[in-house]
Amino acid sequence: MIEIEKVTKSYGETVVVDDISITLPSGGVTSIIGPNGAGKSTLLSMIGRLLSPDAGSIQVDGLDVSKTPSDVLARRLSLLRQDNHMAARLTVRDLVTFGRYPYSKGRYTVEDERHVGDALRFLGLEACADRFLDELSGGQRQRAFVAMVMCQNTDYVLLDEPLNNLDIKHAVEIMRLVRRAADEFRKTVIVVLHDINMASAYSDHIIAMKNGRIVAHGAMQEVIQQDLLSEIYETQIAVESLNGRRIAVY
Ligand SMILES: Nc1ncnc2c1ncn2[C@@H]1O[C@H](COP(=O)(O)OP(=O)(O)OP(=O)(O)O)[C@@H](O)[C@H]1O
Ligand SMILES: [Mg+2]
């Protein structure tokens, strides 16, 4: 369970996360949607301790994020950042192996190797495992970062726009992987998505943010509603049903 209580973050005079309180239950897939600048990444970065809130508190399974040592938190919670600035002269395998660091502290075991191999295979990266990150396409690089996060094998997985740069095949594969992580491995996945139809197809819960606030949250069907979405995105959006799924048309 992730408990966010009265969390606020400002840059200068601008409040970008405005007094948010919400409890994210364990298990399942929760998508965070909302327009550019809504505060989605800022909120995720605070849960992952990359940023500290100006006020409020965040607890992960009862651990206060601001007081928990990084290596303890890193075994509970992994985070894929929206912008990964990483040394380009690193191979895919090195990057993915880095995901095991919280466990191995650099002394990699056979088990670490198995996790790395599984992640490379799941993300279809075996053929480019020994290539440098700056020799990859944008989508291949994105998949390498997802593999690194997967390798960390944490109960909580936070993914900030994991579908960036991905073609439909690889986007669907990642969302299936996300579902499997939740359904088979009981992980709690929180994922920021701009594609409303991906959110509607693969999430249990949806949180909609705008202007630093949560404007709606609940089961997928409660949030994927045309009036609500049209208002959030300031764009006319229709929601149709197709084979029991909700499809947004814009
Ligand atoms: N380091 C920073 N300094 C100043 N302002 C910042 C900084 N980081 C973010 N902001 C501002 O905070 C607001 C929220 O940004 P955030 O990255 O959380 O939005 P987001 O919902 O993730 O948007 P996107 O969909 O574009 O990724 C934006 O207005 C942004 O300009
Ligand atoms: Mg963002």
Side-chain angles (χ1 to χ4, degrees):
M1 184 159 77
I2 299 179
E3 293 164 286
I4 299 169
E5 209 178 310
K6 294 182 181 299
V7 165
T8 295
K9 179 81 187 170
S10 303
Y11 287 108
E13 300 284 288
T14 314
V15 181
V16 299
V17 167
D18 192 0
D19 197 25
I20 285 186
S21 296
I22 190 167
T23 297
L24 306 171
S26 294
V29 178
T30 299
S31 290
I32 304 181
I33 62 169
N36 293 139
K40 306 179 297 295
S41 297
T42 306
L43 183 64
L44 228 58
S45 297
M46 290 191 287
I47 300 172
R49 211 171 91 147
L50 294 178
L51 272 179
S52 36
D54 297 336
S57 72
I58 300 173
Q59 300 208 339
V60 175
D61 283 344
L63 296 172
D64 186 330
V65 166
S66 68
K67 296 190 185 119
T68 305
S70 300
D71 59 329
V72 174
L73 194 66
R75 278 177 262 139
R76 281 294 158 105
L77 181 146
S78 52
L79 169 64
L80 173 77
R81 303 175 62 172
Q82 184 174 353
D83 304 304
N84 284 295
H85 300 288
M86 197 80 177
R89 284 280 117 185
L90 208 59
T91 67
V92 172
R93 192 185 303 281
D94 291 341
L95 175 75
V96 177
T97 302
F98 190 62
R100 298 301 301 166
Y101 191 82
Y103 299 92
S104 62
K105 302 275 162 51
R107 299 175 56 179
Y108 297 104
T109 63
V110 173
E111 200 200 337
D112 293 320
E113 245 174 65
R114 184 175 57 77
H115 278 284
V116 172
D118 285 349
L120 290 171
R121 200 162 38 253
F122 274 132
L123 275 302
L125 290 165
E126 285 166 305
C128 52
D130 296 310
R131 281 168 52 196
F132 291 104
L133 294 177
D134 63 358
E135 296 171 347
L136 302 178
S137 75
Q140 289 166 337
R141 203 174 306 126
Q142 179 72 0
R143 275 148 52 206
F145 280 100
V146 173
M148 176 187 74
V149 168
M150 235 188 88
C151 233
Q152 220 174 302
N153 193 30
T154 53
D155 289 344
Y156 294 87
V157 183
L158 314 184
L159 304 169
D160 196 348
E161 300 198 30
L163 309 185
N164 265 354
N165 286 318
L166 297 189
D167 64 33
I168 293 173
K169 172 185 163 183
H170 290 107
V172 167
E173 276 177 9
I174 293 222
M175 291 313 293
R176 287 192 180 140
L177 200 66
V178 160
R179 253 321 343 150
R180 235 182 110 196
D183 297 340
E184 280 179 40
F185 301 104
R186 320 306 309 151
K187 310 272 186 202
T188 304
V189 187
I190 297 161
V191 53
V192 176
L193 293 174
H194 277 300
D195 185 331
I196 299 170
N197 290 323
M198 284 291 194
S200 107
Y202 292 98
S203 330
D204 303 303
H205 302 102
I206 298 189
I207 295 174
M209 288 184 68
K210 188 171 184 175
N211 296 332
R213 297 203 167 145
I214 291 175
V215 289
H217 70 95
M220 184 279 287
Q221 304 87 320
E222 294 169 52
V223 181
I224 303 298
Q225 301 269 2
Q226 50 190 39
D227 292 350
L228 206 143
L229 294 177
S230 300
E231 200 178 312
I232 292 169
Y233 288 100
E234 297 170 16
T235 301
Q236 199 55 47
I237 298 174
V239 174
E240 308 281 346
S241 284
L242 186 68
N243 301 330
R245 276 173 55 176
R246 278 168 177 264
I247 313 286
V249 183
Y250 36 84

